[in-house]
Each structure stands twice: as C-alpha cells, then as structure tokens.
Amino acid sequence: MIEIIAISGSLRAASTNAALLAALAANAPADCRIQVYDGLGRLPIFNPDDEGERTPAEAARLIEAVTRADGVIISCPEYAHGVPGGMKNALDWLVSRDAAVGKPAMLVHASPRSLYARAALAEIMRTMSFALYEETALEIALLGKKPTEMGAILAEDANRQAMREAVRGFAEFIRGQ
Ligand SMILES: Cc1cc2nc3c(=O)[nH]c(=O)nc-3n(C[C@H](O)[C@H](O)[C@H](O)COP(=O)(O)O)c2cc1C
C-alpha cells in the first residue's frame, strides 16, 4: 500500500483546494491511501530557535507524517502572486530536516490561474530536495465554485478518471524512486 499525505494550502471551510484533495482521496486507486493533513492552522510560526528538542507538538506531528509517507500531494491557492503564509510556514518546518529530502511530491491545482504560486511552490520544493513529479499537472477548475457545485464537478466521470490517473502516475513515480 502506498501511503500519501495531502496538504491543502487553504484554511477556508469551503476551500476548493481541500475539496480537490478530499476527492483525490476518495478516488485513489486501490493500492494507494491518501490522508489529508489537518493541522496547517495549528502550526506555530516557524522559528529556527524552536527546532530540535523544542520542536512544537504540531510541527513534530507534521514532520513525522511527511517522514512516514511515501509521497506528498499539495493543492494550494495563490495569494497576491505568492504562496499563502500558512503553506510556506508548514514547508519551513520541514526545511532543515530529512523529511523532505528525496520525498516524492506532486502539485495539483484547483484554479486555472495561480501561475506565480505554482512556480514558486515548485521552486521552493525543489530547493528543499523534494523529488517533484512533474509529468502531469492535474488541474480541475473549481475557482469560485460553491460546495454543491464543486461536488458535482468532482463527481463527473472524466474528472474522477483524471484524478485516478494522476494518483496512479504519481504512485508509479514513487515506486521508481
Ligand atoms: C487574499 C487573497 C489573495 C488572492 N490573490 C490571488 C492572486 O494573486 N492570484 C490568483 O490567481 N488568485 C488569487 N486569489 C484567489 C484565490 O487563489 C482563489 O480564490 C483560490 O481558489 C482560493 O482557494 P481555496 O478555495 O482553496 O480557499 C486570492 C485570494 C485571496 C483570499
């Protein structure tokens, strides 16, 4: 079983990025389990003085979850042409650890825009030595959609197939690492 941790860069209750990740988890191939990380909003702001023995509990939980996972999937909005602070903060807690080094990672997209944030995230993650899977970029346009509309879009056969294919491709990439 391939174990994947999925992280949404949005804390909004009706987040399109969180909805995409929940749908990916529901549509994953039988040999992949996707668990969505729910602690982004509880992470303290990163401070290098708080690493090692002083690592806060939620940061330790994130580091442990990424370390144990076979791969990481991130879906993240763009704020003011950048990566939202909460997402960058989570990544900052992983910078000086081994958790990210060589860890397979895939970006998926709930907005057809957000090109600055996509590029920035990819650059940050490559710099952190994640093994970024860049074959196919799954993009399902949910921007501005309400939860019921999102549910309908994510339930479309073509989108369910696209999600399954994206995770299958990522799983093959993980196996090849
Ligand atoms: C403060 C703020 C700034 C934003 N800036 C941008 C931006 O620069 N470029 C963009 O494409 N979208 C921008 N957006 C739109 C969000 O990226 C978009 O609404 C996204 O779908 C939100 O993700 P969520 O539904 O998961 O919360 C911004 C939204 C907010 C709240």
Side-chain angles (χ1 to χ4, degrees):
M1 181 66 76
I2 294 212
E3 302 281 355
I4 294 170
I5 179 172
I7 306 175
S8 164
S10 171
L11 296 178
R12 262 183 354 108
S15 164
T16 54
N17 289 282
L20 175 57
L21 293 179
L24 269 184
N27 288 287
D31 58 349
C32 295
R33 184 161 42 220
I34 300 179
Q35 283 202 301
V36 180
Y37 173 68
D38 64 358
L40 201 75
R42 290 192 298 273
L43 282 170
I45 295 190
F46 174 67
N47 179 347
D49 288 344
D50 291 340
E51 294 197 285
E53 285 184 4
R54 290 165 53 105
T55 302
E58 189 56 50
R61 201 169 79 87
L62 171 68
I63 293 160
E64 169 77 6
V66 171
T67 301
R68 290 170 70 129
D70 298 308
V72 179
I73 298 177
I74 288 180
S75 187
C76 188
E78 172 171 298
Y79 290 167
H81 286 186
V83 177
M87 184 76 244
K88 182 63 165 68
N89 185 49
L91 292 170
D92 286 345
W93 279 111
L94 299 169
V95 168
S96 59
R97 317 295 179 123
D98 293 334
V101 177
K103 183 71 62 180
M106 173 168 75
L107 299 177
V108 297
H109 309 287
S111 165
R113 304 189 324 218
S114 70
L115 301 183
Y116 292 97
R118 290 184 194 198
L121 253 184
E123 174 65 17
I124 291 162
M125 293 178 73
R126 275 190 229 106
T127 302
M128 292 173 67
S129 301
F130 277 98
L132 209 52
Y133 173 63
E134 305 190 67
E135 284 299 297
T136 49
L138 177 71
E139 176 186 306
I140 299 183
L142 300 174
L143 180 67
K145 302 292 183 201
K146 297 190 176 69
T148 47
E149 297 170 314
M150 287 193 269
I153 293 168
L154 291 165
E156 286 171 17
D157 277 349
N159 285 335
R160 292 180 57 184
Q161 195 175 331
M163 288 188 273
R164 205 168 301 123
E165 285 304 314
V167 177
R168 191 172 290 135
F170 183 46
E172 271 171 34
F173 175 76
I174 290 172
R175 286 197 194 92
Q177 289 297 297

